[in-house]
């Protein structure tokens, strides 16, 4: 007859070990929850090697302009999700995550917005250095920063007069146009500004010269950009930069120069 004592002993030791482990975890969690916030460590990514935000900007948002200093507060009393929502109210912050380390330091891991283009005002609107907004690849607008100005293509025109979100499927061709300009070194060097009218007709303003380039609706972009390259490589060298005031590539198989 086999003895079941070794089996029972193993079972008892296993249960006891699990109980001790659970107890240690619960004790550690209780101790950590009743630990105070000893400091705030802000970690941010960079945009082109720079930051739209600095540590003071994040601290002001996180602490509600100093009304909720956090330092010295028990972690049991801190709602990290609420603090994350507070940080996300800052338009320059794309996403954030708050957590604490074993020393009681509150860590704020911040990801900044990444701009695709910059909206500049038209007409009599404010044209100061900080007027306007940035546009993300997702089609969202976010405010400019006084700490850093990103070098991206400018956009303007009546299409943006109400500064509506460009996240809809209808606006994806326009976003794709801006992406192509931003990611291609040639076009990024050539195009200074993209003007879009109420009908979403697009005109490019080049970095050099006064010639406006009309591409119409932002569709069939590959073909239209190829025609613009032909204009730059074969027509301008012969006629000169000041010869034309308007070039249209919006019609299939045509380059109209005036």
């Amino acid at each position: 007859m086999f003895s079941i004592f070794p089996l029972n002993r193993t079972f008892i030791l296993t249960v006891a070990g699990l109980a001790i482990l659970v107890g240690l975890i619960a004790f550690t969690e209780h101790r950590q929850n009743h630990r105070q916030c000893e400091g705030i460590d802000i970690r941010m990514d960079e945009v082109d090697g720079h930051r739209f935000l600095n540590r003071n900007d994040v601290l002001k948002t996180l602490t509600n302009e100093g009304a909720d200093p956090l330092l010295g507060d028990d972690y049991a009393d801190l709602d990290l999700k609420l603090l994350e929502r507070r940080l996300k109210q800052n338009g320059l912050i794309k996403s954030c995550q708050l957590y604490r380390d074993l020393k009681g330091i509150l860590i704020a891991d911040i990801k900044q917005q990444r701009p695709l283009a910059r909206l500049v005002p038209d007409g009599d609107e404010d044209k100061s250095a900080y007027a306007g907004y940035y546009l993300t690849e997702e089609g969202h607008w976010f405010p400019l920063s006084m700490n850093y100005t990103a070098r991206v293509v400018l956009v303007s025109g009546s299409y943006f007069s109400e500064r509506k979100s460009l996240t809809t499927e209808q606006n994806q061709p326009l976003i794709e146009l801006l992406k192509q300009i931003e990611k291609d070194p040639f076009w990024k060097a050539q195009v200074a500004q993209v003007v879009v009218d109420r009908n979403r007709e697009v005109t490019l303003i080049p970095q050099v010269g006064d010639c406006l380039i009309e591409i119409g609706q932002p569709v069939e972009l590959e073909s239209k950009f190829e025609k613009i390259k032909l204009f730059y490589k074969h027509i301008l060298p012969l006629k000169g930069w000041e010869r034309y005031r308007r070039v249209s590539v919006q019609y299939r198989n045509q380059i109209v120069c005036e």
Side-chain angles (χ1 to χ4, degrees), residues 79-192:
D79 186 340
L80 299 187
K81 293 298 181 183
L82 175 64
L83 294 176
E84 287 178 355
R85 290 195 294 270
R86 181 185 292 175
L87 282 174
K88 290 176 183 178
Q89 291 176 358
N90 188 319
L92 295 170
I93 295 176
K94 181 177 182 179
S95 64
C96 63
Q97 184 178 8
L98 293 180
Y99 54 94
R100 67 178 187 269
D101 65 10
L102 295 177
K103 296 180 180 179
I105 305 297
L106 178 63
I107 298 173
D109 194 353
I110 307 292
K111 292 190 181 299
Q112 300 180 94
Q113 297 280 15
R114 306 196 71 82
L116 174 63
R118 176 181 172 180
L119 177 66
V120 293
D122 290 323
D124 297 329
E125 297 179 66
D126 185 4
K127 293 186 178 181
S128 67
Y130 301 115
Y133 291 83
Y134 286 117
L135 178 69
T136 70
E137 287 191 356
E138 295 80 20
H140 298 291
W141 300 101
F142 69 94
L144 303 186
S145 166
M146 297 184 67
N147 299 315
Y148 170 63
T149 300
R151 298 184 62 181
V152 291
V153 66
L154 304 178
V155 296
S156 65
S158 54
Y159 192 77
F160 307 111
S161 59
E162 297 179 0
R163 198 166 50 81
K164 293 181 179 179
S165 171
L166 302 183
T167 57
T168 61
E169 184 176 350
Q170 177 188 11
N171 288 305
Q172 285 310 297
L174 181 56
I175 295 293
E176 289 302 319
L177 167 66
L178 296 173
K179 284 182 180 180
Q180 187 160 343
I181 293 172
E182 175 63 21
K183 293 178 181 179
D184 189 307
F186 178 82
W187 295 120
K188 189 169 183 178
Q190 294 295 331
V191 179

Side-chain angles (χ1 to χ4, degrees), residues 230-247:
L230 288 175
F231 172 74
Y232 272 99
K233 291 181 178 180
H234 300 288
I235 299 177
L236 280 182
L238 294 176
K239 301 296 184 178
W241 289 92
E242 304 301 326
R243 174 66 176 81
Y244 299 107
R245 290 290 179 266
R246 170 182 169 271
V247 174

